[in-house]
Amino acid sequence: MEFSPTSGRCSRGIRCTADIIGQCPNQLKAPGGCNNPCTVYKTDQYCCNSGNCAPTDLSRFFKARCPDAYSYPKDDQTSTFTCPGGTNYRVVFCP
């Protein structure tokens, strides 16, 4: 997946070309996809409902494959990008 601005002054676009479904950890596999750890475990460690959470082995698994992706609820430092209003984007699902 690629999500890139085509206008405006953005910090940058995002891109992930990893085969997440094909490499999905066994405990997260779902028919035709890969579940979010919060959906599977429903614990604060993975859902971060209390606001106190850190990266987990599973979030690090995804972050290693897609460094631009938001991999856990507090992953703002490396995965939050902003663009001004009116920016146009190009979205590619299979780069």
Side-chain angles (χ1 to χ4, degrees), residues 41-61:
Y41 294 109
K42 297 177 178 54
T43 64
D44 192 50
Q45 177 185 10
Y46 295 107
C47 301
C48 196
N49 295 323
S50 71
N52 282 332
C53 61
T56 64
D57 287 343
L58 291 171
S59 69
R60 284 189 281 274
F61 167 86

Side-chain angles (χ1 to χ4, degrees), residues 17-76:
T17 58
D19 179 10
I20 295 297
I21 295 172
Q23 297 176 3
C24 184
N26 286 334
Q27 66 269 38
L28 300 180
K29 285 190 178 183
C34 191
N35 274 318
N36 172 323
C38 178
T39 302
V40 173
Y41 294 109
K42 297 177 178 54
T43 64
D44 192 50
Q45 177 185 10
Y46 295 107
C47 301
C48 196
N49 295 323
S50 71
N52 282 332
C53 61
T56 64
D57 287 343
L58 291 171
S59 69
R60 284 189 281 274
F61 167 86
F62 291 107
K63 192 64 155 183
R65 283 149 184 83
C66 297
D68 295 335
Y70 210 78
S71 63
Y72 76 102
K74 295 284 186 177
D75 197 12
D76 298 342

